[in-house]
Amino acid sequence: MSQPISVSHEMDLAWRYASGEAMERFCAGLTDGRIEALRCAACGLRYLPPRPFCGDCRARLTEWVAVGDEGKLEAWTEVQVPMLDAGTGRPRATPFAIGLVRLEGADTTLNHFLAETGAGRLRVGARVRARWRSERAGTMADIECFEVIG
Amino acid sequence: MRPVAIIGTGQTRHSKRRDDVSQPELVREAAAAALADADLRPAEVDAILISNMELFEGRAFPELWAGAGAWAIGKPCLKIATGGTSGTSACIAAFHQVAAGCFDTVLVVGFEKHSEGHTQAGMALTDPYWDRSVAAGALGNFALSVCQYVQERGVSERQAAMVAVKARRNAAANPHAHLQLPDLTIEEVLASPVIAAPLRRLDMCPQSDGAAALVVAGEASARRRCRRPAWVKAAVTRHDKPYLGDLDRRLATMRTLRQAAAVAYRQAGIDDPVRDLDVAEIYEPVTYAELAWYEALGFCPDGEAGRLIEDGVTAMDGALPVNPSGGVLSTNPVGASGVIRVAEAALQLHGKGGARQVEGARRALATGYGVYAWSDVIVLESAA
Amino acid sequence: MNARHRRRPGVWLAGAGQTGPAAADSRSIPEMVLAAVEAALEDAALTFDDIDAVVTASVDLYDGLTASNLAVTEVVGAVMKPETRIAADGLCAALHGACQILAGAYETVLVVAHGKASMASFPELTTWAMDPVYLQPLGVDFETCAGLQAQALAAFDERAERRWAELAAERRRQAAGHGVAPPRTAEEVLASPIVASPVRREMVAPRADGACAMLLRQTPGGRGSPGGGQTGNRTRITGFGWDLAAHAPGDRDLEQWAGVGRACARAYQASGVVEPADSLHLLEPSCHYAHEEELFVRASGAGSGPCVSPTGGLFAGAIPVAAGLSRLIAADRWLRQRDEAGCALVHGSWGPIGQGQAVVILEAAA
């Protein structure tokens, strides 16, 4: 079989994403080191990320509630293979750990990096706390990661 | 829904890289095979549905270019895309278009050429405000969900390894499958490196280049053209919330799959799936997911999935063979994987399973899984 | 190989809602879509509970989001319901929703399409839809193809550009008040910059942001509406058809819009329209370029009788993906405000110079 001819393309595109009102307020809160969720008046679910609508009740979300920056580690993993980092466009250094954190005051879990690697400290049920950056810009990266505190 | 049936299927040789074909040619390979199987000429196809997650290849509207491969030019042709469920979604859309009386025959082609794209870049385009900065792809998401599932349902990595062995050994009897490892052992799976705890390399599905196609026909056409049409008895879809964190314990709960299966079984007159079904092709992106799907699909009570695989119930010689094709664990071109499930279920009923044929199969289940918790459940049945 | 030629029962358009077209909508896609869906439900006197299934239309590359219909699952009421997503013009979502109802699968289907041209760089995005081997490397995009077609049309027709400029001016004038771009005289159109010769910027329908939603039903009335099953002044989809033409401009006869002809033929057959010139009162095509309209009228066989784009068509604002659905909403409004029976041909298209199209026949009883 002859060699295939290949035509290569490089994509360099940009999109302007509107945050929406709920996320705009949430991000403003992050700058102040504050986390807030939206609570459904019908079912009581406290949503992170905050969003316009409760999908179960089919009702608009309007009630803001405070959420702590500590909670429980519901799931964790340590990734060994280089994954594309959407921020830098380059593979992330390995190993890195991520987890699902249920913050006090929220009913959904939050997906974020974990400070520790290694199964020693990471376990389902561990108490974790957000490690905030000193300089914050109103993005989820204002939280550098979550640390196990107990 | 009025009676419609699948009367022919076709697949490419799935592999890591199909450098020998372009995307339209990949589509052509599967489409031609399905038409040959259905004994249909291209001109006899009334409409085409394409399934593809084109952002993985950095494209938009792929059917504009690749549709010619399915002889779609001058015909009604639409593209469906719903993540991993794209393929099953496209099949269900075909069922609806034929049952509506719009067409007598619809060709469905699902394809993906991961080697021509950058799937990770595609997968990284999640919500830019919420989780894009921490996105760790399907691997990271599944590892987290599996971590919870293991904690809650107590399945062991050995039981997961049994799923891996079953899949890759089954695939060895499937000439289309990407990963064929006929001598794979549990020990080898357990010795494969951990890529994201607790997932080992051999617990994960591959990324494949490949296409699959099938022909859906209305009742009169199906009876005229096909010796043993695979009739669609149920086709149920359920979607769920958009963030991973919304679906806590998702493998253990998987409410979309549970409800879709319950509705589908009711529609198809199935009381006990293990007894009433002869074969199942379920969409399992990781080994542990197959165990979770056993529970969600009612093959066993919650907490018993490990026992089910240990008892060999889902082996080729078990009461309900699951994934004789080797499943997604052996072959995964995302846009095609859902079509492959339906095609493999249908060809079992057509009696065209070759070395992977389940003898006397008359009732088959095909499922689709996508994004975090989107589910399709399809039940097919052929006459005695 | 022809589709079955019997007349199908119609599918009722129980309600419709729309945001925009807006030059730039500052809302997020979920917020925009929710507004359109709520407006449609109110128009139909229905609630989310009445929805059996949802068909959405969106394009991942346009939204910069993988599985872009994820973003709208909650606001279209699709949590724990069936949803399917068609990645073509939103009118295809409507005709697929109609198929689902005609198939007996569902009774009430919500159809939604959205797009935000302000989010990204159109037409640059469209290069990624072109044949990556032969066309994309040349920098060909949808606009370039429009230029090629217009060039072919103008080659032996000295008055073509003037005619297009006058049409663009007329459509912009009709769109004044609800459109995203100010009116222009024909002279201003002819003086506007060339985008792909001989197509000038003001001959291109201005791109916009928006979301369109509509409810399709097997039976006419909403449960909440007085007199249940009465039609009121609701419209019905009585036929539809769609088509995919060849991709490369060189493989098409650029002086025709053959795909429209084929799609219309299928729709006419389904709805029982024998002589479109006699049956149609309104044409609502998706013409992104002024020169496309005369091609559309010719291909549809509708002649000069029907009204064409009385509110400016896409020159009020061309919302990516949702454009065809916005035409259906416009046609529905136009038919319902008349006192007599009416029949409209509605059109949506996608791809370079309308490579793909969908048409819907919408009818109102007297």
Side-chain angles (χ1 to χ4, degrees), chain A residues 17 47 49 51 56 74-75 77-78 80 83-84 92 102 109 140, chain B residues 120 129 132-133 135-136 148 194-197 241 245-246 248 255:
Chain A
Y17 302 91
Y47 281 97
R51 63 198 76 179
D56 289 325
E74 298 276 353
T77 187
E78 192 177 279
Q80 308 293 338
M83 301 290 302
L84 182 70
R92 215 174 269 146
R102 184 186 302 283
T109 58
M140 281 299 281
Chain B
Q120 271 195 36
Y129 290 94
R132 189 178 292 191
S133 58
Q148 281 190 305
V194 172
I195 48 176
K241 297 177 188 175
D246 297 339
D248 193 35
R255 61 180 185 166

PDB file of all heavy atoms in Angstrom, chain A residues 17 47 49 51 56 74-75 77-78 80 83-84 92 102 109 140, chain B residues 120 129 132-133 135-136 148 194-197 241 245-246 248 255:
ATOM      1  N   TYR A  17     -17.766  33.414  25.814  1.00  0.00           N
ATOM      2  CA  TYR A  17     -18.868  32.737  26.514  1.00  0.00           C
ATOM      3  C   TYR A  17     -19.513  33.672  27.522  1.00  0.00           C
ATOM      4  O   TYR A  17     -18.842  34.221  28.394  1.00  0.00           O
ATOM      5  CB  TYR A  17     -18.330  31.524  27.285  1.00  0.00           C
ATOM      6  CG  TYR A  17     -17.601  30.478  26.475  1.00  0.00           C
ATOM      7  CD1 TYR A  17     -16.223  30.549  26.299  1.00  0.00           C
ATOM      8  CD2 TYR A  17     -18.284  29.389  25.934  1.00  0.00           C
ATOM      9  CE1 TYR A  17     -15.543  29.573  25.580  1.00  0.00           C
ATOM     10  CE2 TYR A  17     -17.610  28.402  25.227  1.00  0.00           C
ATOM     11  CZ  TYR A  17     -16.243  28.502  25.050  1.00  0.00           C
ATOM     12  OH  TYR A  17     -15.565  27.525  24.353  1.00  0.00           O
ATOM     13  N   TYR A  47     -27.689  23.992  44.405  1.00  0.00           N
ATOM     14  CA  TYR A  47     -26.933  23.702  43.196  1.00  0.00           C
ATOM     15  C   TYR A  47     -25.601  24.433  43.123  1.00  0.00           C
ATOM     16  O   TYR A  47     -25.528  25.660  43.228  1.00  0.00           O
ATOM     17  CB  TYR A  47     -27.718  24.111  41.951  1.00  0.00           C
ATOM     18  CG  TYR A  47     -28.792  23.154  41.522  1.00  0.00           C
ATOM     19  CD1 TYR A  47     -30.128  23.356  41.893  1.00  0.00           C
ATOM     20  CD2 TYR A  47     -28.486  22.055  40.716  1.00  0.00           C
ATOM     21  CE1 TYR A  47     -31.123  22.479  41.467  1.00  0.00           C
ATOM     22  CE2 TYR A  47     -29.479  21.186  40.282  1.00  0.00           C
ATOM     23  CZ  TYR A  47     -30.780  21.406  40.668  1.00  0.00           C
ATOM     24  OH  TYR A  47     -31.776  20.552  40.243  1.00  0.00           O
ATOM     25  N   PRO A  49     -22.677  24.095  39.992  1.00  0.00           N
ATOM     26  CA  PRO A  49     -22.648  25.533  39.878  1.00  0.00           C
ATOM     27  C   PRO A  49     -24.054  26.115  39.916  1.00  0.00           C
ATOM     28  O   PRO A  49     -25.004  25.442  39.518  1.00  0.00           O
ATOM     29  CB  PRO A  49     -22.014  25.765  38.497  1.00  0.00           C
ATOM     30  CG  PRO A  49     -22.392  24.574  37.707  1.00  0.00           C
ATOM     31  CD  PRO A  49     -22.389  23.431  38.697  1.00  0.00           C
ATOM     32  N   ARG A  51     -27.155  28.056  38.599  1.00  0.00           N
ATOM     33  CA  ARG A  51     -27.647  28.057  37.215  1.00  0.00           C
ATOM     34  C   ARG A  51     -29.075  28.558  37.218  1.00  0.00           C
ATOM     35  O   ARG A  51     -29.699  28.654  38.260  1.00  0.00           O
ATOM     36  CB  ARG A  51     -27.572  26.640  36.655  1.00  0.00           C
ATOM     37  CG  ARG A  51     -28.480  25.695  37.439  1.00  0.00           C
ATOM     38  CD  ARG A  51     -28.164  24.239  37.247  1.00  0.00           C
ATOM     39  NE  ARG A  51     -26.991  23.810  37.986  1.00  0.00           N
ATOM     40  CZ  ARG A  51     -26.538  22.567  37.981  1.00  0.00           C
ATOM     41  NH1 ARG A  51     -27.140  21.644  37.250  1.00  0.00           N
ATOM     42  NH2 ARG A  51     -25.466  22.251  38.689  1.00  0.00           N
ATOM     43  N   ASP A  56     -35.015  19.133  37.702  1.00  0.00           N
ATOM     44  CA  ASP A  56     -35.992  18.168  38.213  1.00  0.00           C
ATOM     45  C   ASP A  56     -37.361  18.801  38.368  1.00  0.00           C
ATOM     46  O   ASP A  56     -38.376  18.220  38.017  1.00  0.00           O
ATOM     47  CB  ASP A  56     -35.550  17.641  39.587  1.00  0.00           C
ATOM     48  CG  ASP A  56     -34.347  16.730  39.490  1.00  0.00           C
ATOM     49  OD1 ASP A  56     -34.251  15.986  38.493  1.00  0.00           O
ATOM     50  OD2 ASP A  56     -33.498  16.752  40.402  1.00  0.00           O
ATOM     51  N   GLU A  74     -16.044  12.991  48.420  1.00  0.00           N
ATOM     52  CA  GLU A  74     -16.956  11.901  48.055  1.00  0.00           C
ATOM     53  C   GLU A  74     -16.281  10.890  47.124  1.00  0.00           C
ATOM     54  O   GLU A  74     -16.686   9.733  47.056  1.00  0.00           O
ATOM     55  CB  GLU A  74     -18.198  12.464  47.353  1.00  0.00           C
ATOM     56  CG  GLU A  74     -19.030  13.400  48.192  1.00  0.00           C
ATOM     57  CD  GLU A  74     -20.008  12.661  49.090  1.00  0.00           C
ATOM     58  OE1 GLU A  74     -20.127  11.430  48.954  1.00  0.00           O
ATOM     59  OE2 GLU A  74     -20.646  13.310  49.924  1.00  0.00           O
ATOM     60  N   ALA A  75     -15.295  11.364  46.380  1.00  0.00           N
ATOM     61  CA  ALA A  75     -14.597  10.472  45.455  1.00  0.00           C
ATOM     62  C   ALA A  75     -13.243  11.088  45.165  1.00  0.00           C
ATOM     63  O   ALA A  75     -13.077  12.310  45.259  1.00  0.00           O
ATOM     64  CB  ALA A  75     -15.378  10.315  44.152  1.00  0.00           C
ATOM     65  N   THR A  77      -9.364  10.397  42.734  1.00  0.00           N
ATOM     66  CA  THR A  77      -8.507   9.559  41.910  1.00  0.00           C
ATOM     67  C   THR A  77      -7.186  10.267  41.680  1.00  0.00           C
ATOM     68  O   THR A  77      -7.098  11.481  41.846  1.00  0.00           O
ATOM     69  CB  THR A  77      -9.167   9.212  40.556  1.00  0.00           C
ATOM     70  OG1 THR A  77      -8.344   8.258  39.876  1.00  0.00           O
ATOM     71  CG2 THR A  77      -9.298  10.449  39.672  1.00  0.00           C
ATOM     72  N   GLU A  78      -6.208   9.497  41.330  1.00  0.00           N
ATOM     73  CA  GLU A  78      -4.893  10.035  41.000  1.00  0.00           C
ATOM     74  C   GLU A  78      -4.626   9.655  39.551  1.00  0.00           C
ATOM     75  O   GLU A  78      -4.589   8.473  39.208  1.00  0.00           O
ATOM     76  CB  GLU A  78      -3.858   9.401  41.926  1.00  0.00           C
ATOM     77  CG  GLU A  78      -2.515  10.071  41.897  1.00  0.00           C
ATOM     78  CD  GLU A  78      -1.592   9.415  42.909  1.00  0.00           C
ATOM     79  OE1 GLU A  78      -1.690   9.743  44.101  1.00  0.00           O
ATOM     80  OE2 GLU A  78      -0.790   8.550  42.490  1.00  0.00           O
ATOM     81  N   GLN A  80      -2.513   9.180  36.260  1.00  0.00           N
ATOM     82  CA  GLN A  80      -1.103   8.887  35.955  1.00  0.00           C
ATOM     83  C   GLN A  80      -0.695   9.271  34.548  1.00  0.00           C
ATOM     84  O   GLN A  80       0.491   9.313  34.230  1.00  0.00           O
ATOM     85  CB  GLN A  80      -0.841   7.382  36.141  1.00  0.00           C
ATOM     86  CG  GLN A  80      -1.296   6.823  37.482  1.00  0.00           C
ATOM     87  CD  GLN A  80      -0.473   7.374  38.636  1.00  0.00           C
ATOM     88  OE1 GLN A  80       0.649   7.830  38.438  1.00  0.00           O
ATOM     89  NE2 GLN A  80      -1.045   7.354  39.830  1.00  0.00           N
ATOM     90  N   MET A  83      -2.854  14.444  30.800  1.00  0.00           N
ATOM     91  CA  MET A  83      -4.126  14.900  30.217  1.00  0.00           C
ATOM     92  C   MET A  83      -3.929  16.330  29.758  1.00  0.00           C
ATOM     93  O   MET A  83      -3.198  17.092  30.391  1.00  0.00           O
ATOM     94  CB  MET A  83      -5.245  14.877  31.267  1.00  0.00           C
ATOM     95  CG  MET A  83      -5.521  13.542  31.904  1.00  0.00           C
ATOM     96  SD  MET A  83      -6.279  12.369  30.788  1.00  0.00           S
ATOM     97  CE  MET A  83      -7.739  13.222  30.313  1.00  0.00           C
ATOM     98  N   LEU A  84      -4.599  16.688  28.684  1.00  0.00           N
ATOM     99  CA  LEU A  84      -4.486  18.042  28.159  1.00  0.00           C
ATOM    100  C   LEU A  84      -5.036  19.035  29.171  1.00  0.00           C
ATOM    101  O   LEU A  84      -6.163  18.901  29.638  1.00  0.00           O
ATOM    102  CB  LEU A  84      -5.274  18.136  26.851  1.00  0.00           C
ATOM    103  CG  LEU A  84      -5.225  19.477  26.133  1.00  0.00           C
ATOM    104  CD1 LEU A  84      -3.827  19.695  25.563  1.00  0.00           C
ATOM    105  CD2 LEU A  84      -6.262  19.509  25.010  1.00  0.00           C
ATOM    106  N   ARG A  92      -0.816  18.099  31.386  1.00  0.00           N
ATOM    107  CA  ARG A  92      -0.640  18.379  32.810  1.00  0.00           C
ATOM    108  C   ARG A  92       0.416  17.449  33.385  1.00  0.00           C
ATOM    109  O   ARG A  92       0.499  16.277  33.002  1.00  0.00           O
ATOM    110  CB  ARG A  92      -1.979  18.115  33.511  1.00  0.00           C
ATOM    111  CG  ARG A  92      -2.287  19.025  34.664  1.00  0.00           C
ATOM    112  CD  ARG A  92      -3.688  18.767  35.180  1.00  0.00           C
ATOM    113  NE  ARG A  92      -4.690  19.599  34.535  1.00  0.00           N
ATOM    114  CZ  ARG A  92      -5.926  19.225  34.272  1.00  0.00           C
ATOM    115  NH1 ARG A  92      -6.323  18.007  34.568  1.00  0.00           N
ATOM    116  NH2 ARG A  92      -6.777  20.054  33.702  1.00  0.00           N
ATOM    117  N   ARG A 102     -18.108  17.420  48.390  1.00  0.00           N
ATOM    118  CA  ARG A 102     -19.418  17.930  48.778  1.00  0.00           C
ATOM    119  C   ARG A 102     -19.187  18.976  49.853  1.00  0.00           C
ATOM    120  O   ARG A 102     -18.876  18.652  51.003  1.00  0.00           O
ATOM    121  CB  ARG A 102     -20.333  16.832  49.316  1.00  0.00           C
ATOM    122  CG  ARG A 102     -21.743  17.380  49.617  1.00  0.00           C
ATOM    123  CD  ARG A 102     -22.617  16.331  50.300  1.00  0.00           C
ATOM    124  NE  ARG A 102     -22.733  15.126  49.497  1.00  0.00           N
ATOM    125  CZ  ARG A 102     -23.512  15.018  48.427  1.00  0.00           C
ATOM    126  NH1 ARG A 102     -24.260  16.038  48.059  1.00  0.00           N
ATOM    127  NH2 ARG A 102     -23.543  13.890  47.738  1.00  0.00           N
ATOM    128  N   THR A 109     -21.849  17.893  44.024  1.00  0.00           N
ATOM    129  CA  THR A 109     -20.424  17.878  44.335  1.00  0.00           C
ATOM    130  C   THR A 109     -19.661  18.723  43.345  1.00  0.00           C
ATOM    131  O   THR A 109     -20.109  18.987  42.231  1.00  0.00           O
ATOM    132  CB  THR A 109     -19.867  16.447  44.332  1.00  0.00           C
ATOM    133  OG1 THR A 109     -20.104  15.861  43.051  1.00  0.00           O
ATOM    134  CG2 THR A 109     -20.520  15.602  45.415  1.00  0.00           C
ATOM    135  N   MET A 140     -12.805  29.718  38.908  1.00  0.00           N
ATOM    136  CA  MET A 140     -12.656  28.520  39.730  1.00  0.00           C
ATOM    137  C   MET A 140     -11.192  28.256  40.078  1.00  0.00           C
ATOM    138  O   MET A 140     -10.887  27.551  41.032  1.00  0.00           O
ATOM    139  CB  MET A 140     -13.248  27.294  39.022  1.00  0.00           C
ATOM    140  CG  MET A 140     -14.749  27.221  39.123  1.00  0.00           C
ATOM    141  SD  MET A 140     -15.331  27.093  40.839  1.00  0.00           S
ATOM    142  CE  MET A 140     -15.027  25.359  41.142  1.00  0.00           C
TER     143      MET A 140
ATOM    144  N   GLN B 120      -8.911  14.614  23.063  1.00  0.00           N
ATOM    145  CA  GLN B 120      -8.749  15.269  24.364  1.00  0.00           C
ATOM    146  C   GLN B 120      -9.069  16.754  24.278  1.00  0.00           C
ATOM    147  O   GLN B 120      -9.661  17.316  25.190  1.00  0.00           O
ATOM    148  CB  GLN B 120      -7.323  15.086  24.882  1.00  0.00           C
ATOM    149  CG  GLN B 120      -7.156  13.835  25.707  1.00  0.00           C
ATOM    150  CD  GLN B 120      -5.866  13.842  26.495  1.00  0.00           C
ATOM    151  OE1 GLN B 120      -5.431  14.893  26.981  1.00  0.00           O
ATOM    152  NE2 GLN B 120      -5.259  12.690  26.651  1.00  0.00           N
ATOM    153  N   TYR B 129     -16.580  28.171  32.655  1.00  0.00           N
ATOM    154  CA  TYR B 129     -16.613  28.824  33.965  1.00  0.00           C
ATOM    155  C   TYR B 129     -16.491  27.818  35.102  1.00  0.00           C
ATOM    156  O   TYR B 129     -15.996  28.155  36.168  1.00  0.00           O
ATOM    157  CB  TYR B 129     -17.899  29.635  34.129  1.00  0.00           C
ATOM    158  CG  TYR B 129     -17.924  30.859  33.259  1.00  0.00           C
ATOM    159  CD1 TYR B 129     -18.521  30.837  32.012  1.00  0.00           C
ATOM    160  CD2 TYR B 129     -17.304  32.034  33.681  1.00  0.00           C
ATOM    161  CE1 TYR B 129     -18.511  31.954  31.201  1.00  0.00           C
ATOM    162  CE2 TYR B 129     -17.294  33.157  32.879  1.00  0.00           C
ATOM    163  CZ  TYR B 129     -17.896  33.111  31.632  1.00  0.00           C
ATOM    164  OH  TYR B 129     -17.882  34.217  30.840  1.00  0.00           O
ATOM    165  N   ARG B 132     -13.758  23.527  33.258  1.00  0.00           N
ATOM    166  CA  ARG B 132     -12.800  23.328  32.177  1.00  0.00           C
ATOM    167  C   ARG B 132     -11.367  23.284  32.698  1.00  0.00           C
ATOM    168  O   ARG B 132     -10.529  22.542  32.188  1.00  0.00           O
ATOM    169  CB  ARG B 132     -12.947  24.420  31.114  1.00  0.00           C
ATOM    170  CG  ARG B 132     -12.124  24.116  29.884  1.00  0.00           C
ATOM    171  CD  ARG B 132     -12.296  25.137  28.814  1.00  0.00           C
ATOM    172  NE  ARG B 132     -13.634  25.112  28.240  1.00  0.00           N
ATOM    173  CZ  ARG B 132     -13.960  25.781  27.126  1.00  0.00           C
ATOM    174  NH1 ARG B 132     -13.051  26.487  26.496  1.00  0.00           N
ATOM    175  NH2 ARG B 132     -15.189  25.736  26.683  1.00  0.00           N
ATOM    176  N   SER B 133     -11.101  24.081  33.735  1.00  0.00           N
ATOM    177  CA  SER B 133      -9.709  24.143  34.209  1.00  0.00           C
ATOM    178  C   SER B 133      -9.293  22.862  34.920  1.00  0.00           C
ATOM    179  O   SER B 133      -8.107  22.607  35.073  1.00  0.00           O
ATOM    180  CB  SER B 133      -9.514  25.349  35.128  1.00  0.00           C
ATOM    181  OG  SER B 133     -10.411  25.268  36.214  1.00  0.00           O
ATOM    182  N   ALA B 135     -10.743  19.779  34.009  1.00  0.00           N
ATOM    183  CA  ALA B 135     -11.233  18.645  33.215  1.00  0.00           C
ATOM    184  C   ALA B 135     -10.151  17.599  33.034  1.00  0.00           C
ATOM    185  O   ALA B 135      -9.018  17.929  32.664  1.00  0.00           O
ATOM    186  CB  ALA B 135     -11.721  19.134  31.855  1.00  0.00           C
ATOM    187  N   ALA B 136     -10.494  16.372  33.308  1.00  0.00           N
ATOM    188  CA  ALA B 136      -9.536  15.282  33.144  1.00  0.00           C
ATOM    189  C   ALA B 136     -10.120  14.205  32.258  1.00  0.00           C
ATOM    190  O   ALA B 136      -9.845  13.020  32.446  1.00  0.00           O
ATOM    191  CB  ALA B 136      -9.142  14.718  34.502  1.00  0.00           C
ATOM    192  N   GLN B 148     -16.470   5.925  43.814  1.00  0.00           N
ATOM    193  CA  GLN B 148     -17.696   5.907  44.633  1.00  0.00           C
ATOM    194  C   GLN B 148     -18.425   4.588  44.514  1.00  0.00           C
ATOM    195  O   GLN B 148     -18.939   4.048  45.499  1.00  0.00           O
ATOM    196  CB  GLN B 148     -18.648   7.000  44.163  1.00  0.00           C
ATOM    197  CG  GLN B 148     -18.293   8.374  44.645  1.00  0.00           C
ATOM    198  CD  GLN B 148     -19.398   9.363  44.343  1.00  0.00           C
ATOM    199  OE1 GLN B 148     -19.814   9.490  43.195  1.00  0.00           O
ATOM    200  NE2 GLN B 148     -19.870  10.038  45.358  1.00  0.00           N
ATOM    201  N   VAL B 194      -1.950   1.139  36.643  1.00  0.00           N
ATOM    202  CA  VAL B 194      -3.063   1.984  37.071  1.00  0.00           C
ATOM    203  C   VAL B 194      -2.921   3.320  36.346  1.00  0.00           C
ATOM    204  O   VAL B 194      -1.871   3.968  36.433  1.00  0.00           O
ATOM    205  CB  VAL B 194      -3.029   2.215  38.600  1.00  0.00           C
ATOM    206  CG1 VAL B 194      -4.081   3.251  38.998  1.00  0.00           C
ATOM    207  CG2 VAL B 194      -3.281   0.903  39.337  1.00  0.00           C
ATOM    208  N   ILE B 195      -3.934   3.725  35.631  1.00  0.00           N
ATOM    209  CA  ILE B 195      -3.850   4.990  34.892  1.00  0.00           C
ATOM    210  C   ILE B 195      -4.589   6.112  35.614  1.00  0.00           C
ATOM    211  O   ILE B 195      -4.224   7.283  35.504  1.00  0.00           O
ATOM    212  CB  ILE B 195      -4.331   4.855  33.435  1.00  0.00           C
ATOM    213  CG1 ILE B 195      -5.671   4.138  33.338  1.00  0.00           C
ATOM    214  CG2 ILE B 195      -3.282   4.120  32.610  1.00  0.00           C
ATOM    215  CD1 ILE B 195      -6.210   4.093  31.913  1.00  0.00           C
ATOM    216  N   ALA B 196      -5.629   5.769  36.354  1.00  0.00           N
ATOM    217  CA  ALA B 196      -6.322   6.723  37.222  1.00  0.00           C
ATOM    218  C   ALA B 196      -7.056   5.866  38.232  1.00  0.00           C
ATOM    219  O   ALA B 196      -8.046   5.234  37.891  1.00  0.00           O
ATOM    220  CB  ALA B 196      -7.282   7.596  36.420  1.00  0.00           C
ATOM    221  N   ALA B 197      -6.543   5.853  39.442  1.00  0.00           N
ATOM    222  CA  ALA B 197      -7.049   4.915  40.453  1.00  0.00           C
ATOM    223  C   ALA B 197      -8.554   4.960  40.561  1.00  0.00           C
ATOM    224  O   ALA B 197      -9.144   6.030  40.634  1.00  0.00           O
ATOM    225  CB  ALA B 197      -6.407   5.261  41.807  1.00  0.00           C
ATOM    226  N   LYS B 241     -28.985  15.785  34.111  1.00  0.00           N
ATOM    227  CA  LYS B 241     -28.384  17.102  34.338  1.00  0.00           C
ATOM    228  C   LYS B 241     -26.966  17.168  33.777  1.00  0.00           C
ATOM    229  O   LYS B 241     -26.313  16.143  33.586  1.00  0.00           O
ATOM    230  CB  LYS B 241     -28.386  17.409  35.832  1.00  0.00           C
ATOM    231  CG  LYS B 241     -29.796  17.508  36.403  1.00  0.00           C
ATOM    232  CD  LYS B 241     -29.749  17.750  37.888  1.00  0.00           C
ATOM    233  CE  LYS B 241     -31.132  17.645  38.492  1.00  0.00           C
ATOM    234  NZ  LYS B 241     -31.076  17.770  39.966  1.00  0.00           N
ATOM    235  N   GLY B 245     -20.944  16.720  38.894  1.00  0.00           N
ATOM    236  CA  GLY B 245     -21.296  16.839  40.310  1.00  0.00           C
ATOM    237  C   GLY B 245     -22.788  16.771  40.584  1.00  0.00           C
ATOM    238  O   GLY B 245     -23.208  16.577  41.719  1.00  0.00           O
ATOM    239  N   ASP B 246     -23.615  16.925  39.534  1.00  0.00           N
ATOM    240  CA  ASP B 246     -25.064  16.802  39.703  1.00  0.00           C
ATOM    241  C   ASP B 246     -25.458  15.347  39.889  1.00  0.00           C
ATOM    242  O   ASP B 246     -26.536  15.037  40.369  1.00  0.00           O
ATOM    243  CB  ASP B 246     -25.807  17.316  38.458  1.00  0.00           C
ATOM    244  CG  ASP B 246     -25.584  18.781  38.183  1.00  0.00           C
ATOM    245  OD1 ASP B 246     -25.197  19.518  39.116  1.00  0.00           O
ATOM    246  OD2 ASP B 246     -25.794  19.189  37.029  1.00  0.00           O
ATOM    247  N   ASP B 248     -24.145  12.667  41.527  1.00  0.00           N
ATOM    248  CA  ASP B 248     -23.407  11.996  42.582  1.00  0.00           C
ATOM    249  C   ASP B 248     -23.753  10.517  42.611  1.00  0.00           C
ATOM    250  O   ASP B 248     -24.916  10.154  42.435  1.00  0.00           O
ATOM    251  CB  ASP B 248     -23.757  12.649  43.920  1.00  0.00           C
ATOM    252  CG  ASP B 248     -22.808  12.234  45.013  1.00  0.00           C
ATOM    253  OD1 ASP B 248     -21.619  12.039  44.708  1.00  0.00           O
ATOM    254  OD2 ASP B 248     -23.256  12.074  46.154  1.00  0.00           O
ATOM    255  N   ARG B 255     -30.013   6.824  37.143  1.00  0.00           N
ATOM    256  CA  ARG B 255     -31.472   6.813  37.083  1.00  0.00           C
ATOM    257  C   ARG B 255     -31.998   6.814  35.648  1.00  0.00           C
ATOM    258  O   ARG B 255     -33.078   6.266  35.381  1.00  0.00           O
ATOM    259  CB  ARG B 255     -32.050   7.992  37.873  1.00  0.00           C
ATOM    260  CG  ARG B 255     -31.644   9.360  37.379  1.00  0.00           C
ATOM    261  CD  ARG B 255     -32.281  10.445  38.227  1.00  0.00           C
ATOM    262  NE  ARG B 255     -32.008  11.779  37.694  1.00  0.00           N
ATOM    263  CZ  ARG B 255     -32.653  12.875  38.064  1.00  0.00           C
ATOM    264  NH1 ARG B 255     -33.591  12.815  38.983  1.00  0.00           N
ATOM    265  NH2 ARG B 255     -32.351  14.049  37.529  1.00  0.00           N
TER     266      ARG B 255
END
